[in-house]
Amino acid sequence: MTRVLFRDLKQLATPAGARAPLRGAELGAVTVVEDAYVLCEDGRIAAVGPMRDLEPVRGDPVHGELVEIDGRGRCALPGLVDCHTHTAFAGDRVDEFALRASGANYEELHAAGGGILSTVRATRAAGEDALVDRVRDHARAMLAQGTTTWEGKSGYGLDRETELAQLRAVAANGGVATWLGAHAVPPEFADGDAYLEFALREVLPDAAKLAEAADVFVERGAFDAAQAERYLRACRDAGLALRLHGDQFTEAGAIPLAIELGARSVDHLEATGEAGIAALARSDVVGVLLPASALFLGRPMPPARKLVDAGAAVALATDFNPGSAFCESLPLVCSLACTQLGLSPSEALAACTVNAAHVLGRADRKGRLAPGFDADLLLLDVPDWRYLAYHLGGDLGIEPFVAAVRALP
Ligand code: NIG
Ligand code: FE
């Protein structure tokens, strides 16, 4: 057993209370402690508070040695939680990015066999070892930006071997795996129904052993609500939690379906209108907002302020992927949340800690600096924790700790 004491922290900030998910006024309630400490024992947080309340601690035979970390001039935050990424891909889409910069349209590229399907070709060709290496590089880049817990989806294999390889590559790198078995219809199938027939029969039984959740892209050009329902019901029967990509370009029934099936989340929501906002607000489904994706594609931002004011639970995530959001940075997403979505820095913090942890079924141990929680925390070399959102694309001097161990050299 090791004790680690983070001492003399300029400031510590953590979402207040113990509830998850946070919604309404509670979303913006952050506890800020000036001149603070965090005491960790065996990878868990044992105590948090102002330095003046710190009882003398030292190593002893029961607790082992005491490691002290000097927090002077730095702010502590919970490790960030990215609850929506597509990290398990090979290749890139830089050519497509350049085409889009000169006016090409994301949905039209997809319809012409590019977009998602071009990443499917690269990912199928990569092989599992190369995929594991790519995910490791991506996880490291996310960690450098403060992400200590992350979800990673499949969905760039769309065949049995590559889908399972993606899920294993995510898990091998410490990610929470989601089977995005219904991301697009691969070219070897005549239509979505024929593909789902195959995926549910041939892939789901093994995917359900590797993944915690299933996800589907409900959209024109991908899967309609009836197909999504068939896929999600089968996945739920196999023991998976449910997620949906919904309302990215059009409202195609994802929100009512998510509510009916008791999904954990519906993600994107750029096209969500008043009825969808009201329905989500009455439900337990979390709306996951992906402003980096809206920015990257030049799309309207999701109606985040209206969702929060209506009482919906929202989370923030990067949507990191090569086509619609080539961005690993939750701090940048927090900046977009404050500048584009109308959220406060406190609301943004809760949305990518507590609420994101809730989406991943981990709100009892991730996303807060509080006794009993995993000792995943960030030291930021900034004078005020709100620099997290304030310093747009800036260097925050992030030093991440996972289970109280320095996670980057
Ligand atoms: O969340 N919208 C569907 N899927 C991903 C993008 C995948 C890609 O373009 O490769 C998303 O934006
Ligand atoms: Fe996505």
Side-chain angles (χ1 to χ4, degrees), residues 84 86 93 106 116 156 183 217 245 248 268 319 321 323-324:
H84 181 139
H86 305 251
R93 304 252 283 281
Y106 177 82
I116 293 171
Y156 291 129
H183 195 194
F217 185 20
H245 279 69
Q248 184 181 11
H268 270 293
D319 195 22
N321 76 75
S324 73

Side-chain angles (χ1 to χ4, degrees), residues 110-408:
H110 175 68
I116 293 171
L117 291 174
S118 76
T119 300
V120 169
R121 288 189 286 276
T123 306
R124 285 179 176 180
E128 186 158 345
D129 290 348
L131 215 45
V132 171
D133 289 348
R134 282 299 292 269
V135 178
R136 182 179 310 117
D137 290 346
H138 297 155
R140 208 175 161 75
M142 293 193 286
L143 182 63
Q145 303 278 350
T147 297
T148 54
T149 300
W150 54 277
E151 178 255 21
K153 302 174 194 297
S154 67
Y156 291 129
L158 308 177
D159 62 17
R160 187 185 140 75
E161 192 190 339
T162 318
E163 283 295 306
L164 299 178
Q166 282 190 276
L167 296 175
R168 285 191 292 266
V170 168
N173 285 294
V176 179
T178 296
W179 183 46
L180 179 50
H183 195 194
V185 180
E188 60 273 24
F189 290 90
D191 56 34
D193 291 323
Y195 167 68
L196 288 181
E197 185 70 35
F198 154 80
L200 294 176
R201 194 183 60 237
E202 301 290 331
V203 190
L204 171 59
D206 286 324
K209 295 180 198 145
L210 296 167
E212 295 188 16
D215 197 345
V216 52
F217 185 20
V218 187
E219 189 56 77
R220 63 186 177 200
F223 296 91
D224 65 26
Q227 291 170 328
E229 177 164 1
R230 173 181 174 208
Y231 170 81
L232 292 173
R233 283 193 186 279
C235 291
R236 193 176 62 177
D237 289 347
L240 294 169
L242 305 183
R243 316 272 309 263
L244 294 86
H245 279 69
D247 295 5
Q248 184 181 11
F249 299 100
T250 58
E251 290 186 287
I255 288 179
L257 185 60
I259 294 169
E260 186 191 331
L261 298 182
R264 288 243 182 98
S265 73
V266 55
D267 307 35
H268 270 293
L269 307 178
E270 289 93 312
T272 301
E274 298 298 335
I277 293 169
L280 215 48
R282 287 191 301 269
S283 80
D284 291 329
V285 180
V286 177
V288 178
L289 310 169
L290 309 167
S293 170
L295 181 79
F296 203 74
L297 295 185
R299 301 284 309 163
M301 289 287 160
R305 189 69 254 163
K306 285 185 173 179
L307 282 163
V308 174
D309 290 345
V314 300
L316 283 167
T318 59
D319 195 22
F320 173 60
N321 76 75
S324 73
F326 194 47
C327 170
E328 302 94 337
S329 173
L330 279 173
L332 183 68
V333 166
C334 287
S335 292
L336 295 175
C338 295
T339 60
Q340 309 301 309
L341 301 184
L343 302 191
S344 68
S346 303
E347 290 171 327
L349 178 68
C352 65
T353 53
V354 172
N355 283 10
H358 173 78
V359 170
L360 299 184
R362 282 161 169 73
D364 58 336
R365 56 189 201 275
K366 304 284 186 193
R368 281 190 162 100
L369 295 180
F373 277 67
D374 290 353
D376 298 349
L377 62 149
L378 310 178
L379 298 187
L380 272 57
D381 194 6
V382 295
D384 183 297
W385 75 268
R386 293 169 299 179
Y387 272 54
L388 176 73
Y390 167 53
H391 199 166
L392 181 68
D395 180 1
L396 303 171
I398 297 176
E399 192 177 2
F401 291 78
V402 173
V405 175
R406 230 180 225 109
L408 285 173

